Amino acid sequence: MNIYILEDQWAQQAHLEKTLHEIEEEQQLAPLHINLFSNVTDFLKGLPSPSVENLFLLDVEINDDLQAGLKISQRIRQTDLFSSIIFITVHNELLPTTYHYESEALDFIAKDQDNVKQKLTKDLLHVASKSKHFPAPTLLLKVSNGFLRVSLDDIVYFEPSPTNTHQSLMHTVNNQITTINANLNQLLDRSPLFFRTHKHCLVNLNKVSKIDTHNHLVTLSGAQAPQPLSRLKNKALLSKLAELNN
């Protein structure tokens, strides 16, 4: 589960992170990947690709803007219909206002109550259950004649287009090649599963089956041939794979 916390008070950030890890251990949940943000600008830069495993914990008031969290929830819902949103605040009076933003929040938690951990436990179990029964995450990619929705499980790797620096070639498990209107740098930010093994190759980490450090190649499930692996990327790739295994 990927958790994104927007909270401008460091003490509250630390308390939330500690509470979430306690719940993770007590309920034996899959590892929680917690991302902390204290301002709106950094938070918006760090928005992930749409996924049912995304959970946003938003303080309503950020840096004296009483409705910052509500505005952010609206931005999230414009591109991510699968994630879960929880508001956590001391401004209980703003609860009715959340409905006007149509953010479809999972919960509204008051910081100054004694049941914060209890409510977060219920919410995390709900998101974990939803993740198990929801289809695999998908990406909406721009192609020449419109948009294409593709499952992350089907993507093997991307390589640059030989004819257009603003495009890439997407290789999928069915050995199809599709031209995407985005370069490798732009695609890298679309999913935490994407990793740049070489300036000419962006792979899906879930497809890595073998790493040849002698010949600097990486073998991918679903690819017809090994792909290049930069010497400088060996350590980072192994680290990323270790994170996934854990």
Side-chain angles (χ1 to χ4, degrees):
M1 191 183 306
N2 308 308
I3 301 180
Y4 299 83
I5 298 175
L6 178 59
E7 167 61 65
D8 59 358
Q9 300 296 320
W10 179 85
Q12 289 290 339
Q13 276 191 4
H15 177 68
L16 274 174
E17 185 175 24
K18 179 176 180 291
T19 302
L20 290 169
H21 282 307
E22 287 176 356
I23 297 170
E24 173 188 15
E25 183 176 354
E26 292 167 4
Q27 301 297 325
Q28 297 184 324
L29 297 174
L32 302 180
H33 304 289
I34 300 175
N35 305 271
L36 303 172
F37 300 90
S38 58
N39 64 78
V40 169
T41 301
D42 289 342
F43 184 86
L44 290 175
K45 288 180 181 177
L47 282 180
S49 300
S51 172
V52 69
E53 294 202 356
N54 293 340
L55 171 61
F56 297 95
L57 279 173
L58 308 177
D59 189 359
V60 173
E61 180 183 4
I62 298 293
N63 298 323
D64 298 324
D65 183 344
L66 285 175
Q67 297 190 8
L70 300 177
K71 297 170 188 174
I72 287 293
S73 71
Q74 200 171 44
R75 290 282 299 273
I76 293 170
R77 279 291 175 251
Q78 288 174 357
T79 57
D80 191 346
L81 301 177
F82 307 111
S83 63
S84 300
I85 296 174
I86 297 173
F87 294 111
I88 183 162
T89 183
V90 294
H91 295 286
N92 296 353
E93 72 278 5
L94 291 176
L95 174 57
T97 310
T98 63
Y99 299 105
H100 299 305
Y101 284 84
E102 299 180 348
S103 56
E104 300 179 7
L106 172 62
D107 208 346
F108 191 98
I109 299 176
K111 291 181 183 178
D112 53 358
Q113 299 297 311
D114 295 331
N115 63 347
V116 172
K117 184 175 180 179
Q118 179 183 351
K119 296 192 74 173
L120 281 175
T121 299
K122 175 179 67 69
D123 293 337
L124 262 63
L125 290 173
H126 173 82
V127 174
S129 175
K130 185 173 69 169
S131 299
K132 291 179 181 178
H133 297 92
F134 207 83
T138 61
L139 288 182
L140 190 64
L141 300 172
K142 183 75 170 65
V143 292
S144 59
N145 59 347
F147 290 88
L148 174 69
R149 184 172 292 281
V150 58
S151 171
L152 273 172
D153 286 345
D154 290 338
I155 298 172
V156 181
Y157 71 98
F158 298 90
E159 63 177 336
S161 167
T163 58
N164 190 327
T165 58
H166 300 291
Q167 295 180 329
S168 302
L169 302 181
M170 177 178 68
H171 296 253
T172 52
V173 291
N174 52 8
N175 292 321
Q176 287 190 344
I177 302 175
T178 306
T179 300
I180 304 299
N181 287 3
N183 59 38
L184 297 191
N185 284 334
Q186 293 167 327
L187 290 167
L188 179 61
D189 295 330
R190 296 296 304 275
S191 171
L193 288 176
F194 292 161
F195 183 85
R196 193 81 174 264
T197 60
H198 189 274
K199 65 180 180 179
H200 296 306
C201 188
L202 178 70
V203 307
N204 182 344
L205 289 169
N206 278 341
K207 301 301 180 183
V208 175
S209 60
K210 180 181 178 182
I211 300 173
D212 184 342
T213 56
H214 179 71
N215 295 304
H216 310 293
L217 296 171
V218 56
T219 301
L220 305 168
S221 301
Q224 294 183 324
Q227 297 305 307
L229 173 62
S230 168
R231 295 183 182 185
L232 299 177
K233 296 287 187 175
N234 281 341
K235 186 175 180 180
L237 176 57
L238 290 171
S239 177
K240 282 289 186 180
L241 291 173
E243 288 180 17
L244 285 179
N245 289 336
N246 291 333

